[in-house]
Amino acid sequence: MRYKDIQKVLSEKSFQLSDFSAIVARGGPVAVLEPGAYRINETMVEKLMNNPLVDHASNLGGVIAFNLGKPLGIPAFIYDAVSTDQMTSIARLSGIKEISRKSLVHALNMRSVGMSCAEKMGENYNEVNFIIAHLGGGITIAVHEKGRMTDLVSDDEGPFSPERAGRLPGKDLVKMCYLHDEDAMKKKLRGQGGLVSYLGTTSTIEVEKRIKDGEEYAKLVYEAMAYQISKGICELTAVLKGKVDLVILTGGIAYSELITSWVKERVEWVAPVEIVPGEKELEALAYGALRVINGEERAREFK
């Protein structure tokens, strides 16, 4: 369906596939990867289709890009996949030997925003220390230590978000697991958690309207989300031993002056706070592919 929709849009806009130098897609949680570009090959497509790290809609991107490009020999890439992994060995330990912490993070937008903020400061991204929080339907926070994401707070380890539960008290979570089947519990954690669990909506616009109309409980829940985001940022300062050059708030929720003001007042003691609202992901994909085409960056081969 999506493949056909893309072909339809190209036709409506009077583009031919042969006009394109490359096709670049979102890199889903396909496998543990280095940052940057990977050439999409049949091995990656097989992995995306049948055995990704996590089942996620973005896994379709690489498959579609490959199928669009293959007939005409147009190179297809993914860039800064969700499963980009630069975590240190010490950061992987969870507390239970059988469970390792995983790097699943909004790498594409984070790295793009990090590079642009470093440039704005007159610095090289690979020589500064940032903590970047991506605030969206899911919330992730990562240390960017001299250009490497050495540790993070994933969307199931930290703040609740509009639709995800985030970190939960372990003993109570275990009890709940015995009351519901696996699929129901997964939905409670991802899709039915966070704002929607407390307030019945994932819309931050609606929540802010309810707060403006005087609903105290909505304000409590919304401020609690900001409170937890702040805690996630502050716990990562320990990774950098307090040597943080900049805290960056990005993603769709960073448009909210209410959320960003609450977070800022709790974390600006760490470092200056830069707010870069929205998601620069399409731009990041385009420029990533352009760097490969121009020979400024080498695309890795997926094996």
Side-chain angles (χ1 to χ4, degrees), residues 17 36 137 166 175-176 197 201 207 215 230 237 247 253 255 285-286:
L17 272 173
K175 286 181 182 179
M176 184 175 277
S197 174
T201 181
V207 173
E215 187 177 328
S230 305
T237 63
V247 173
I253 298 176
Y255 281 110
L285 289 176

Side-chain angles (χ1 to χ4, degrees), residues 229-251:
I229 293 165
S230 305
K231 287 168 65 177
I233 290 168
C234 291
E235 73 178 85
L236 289 176
T237 63
V239 177
L240 295 167
K241 301 177 182 177
K243 297 175 182 176
V244 184
D245 295 301
L246 190 68
V247 173
I248 303 171
L249 307 179
T250 186

Side-chain angles (χ1 to χ4, degrees), residues 74-132:
I74 302 169
F77 307 101
I78 61 170
Y79 199 88
D80 279 348
V82 175
S83 51
T84 295
D85 189 338
Q86 298 175 300
M87 287 175 68
T88 58
S89 296
I90 198 169
R92 296 184 191 281
L93 275 64
S94 69
I96 294 181
K97 187 176 181 181
E98 293 86 354
I99 300 175
S100 293
R101 295 183 65 236
K102 296 178 178 63
S103 179
L104 294 169
V105 67
H106 294 89
L108 181 63
N109 186 47
M110 281 184 173
R111 279 172 39 84
S112 175
V113 167
M115 290 176 193
S116 64
C117 284
E119 185 178 354
K120 184 178 176 182
M121 293 167 62
E123 300 284 354
N124 186 316
Y125 170 70
N126 296 319
E127 295 176 356
V128 291
N129 292 336
F130 292 161
I131 295 175
I132 304 179

Side-chain angles (χ1 to χ4, degrees), residues 202-221:
T202 61
S203 170
T204 57
I205 295 172
E206 180 183 332
V207 173
E208 292 198 16
K209 182 180 183 303
R210 286 162 63 173
I211 293 170
K212 189 175 181 179
D213 290 343
E215 187 177 328
E216 287 298 322
Y217 184 65
K219 182 176 183 292
L220 174 68
V221 172

Side-chain angles (χ1 to χ4, degrees), residues 15 35 52 62 75 83 88 116 122 132 154 161 179 198 205 226 238-239 254 263 270 276:
F15 279 108
S83 51
T88 58
S116 64
I132 304 179
S154 67
S161 71
L179 301 176
Y198 289 107
I205 295 172
V239 177
V263 173
V270 172
V276 186

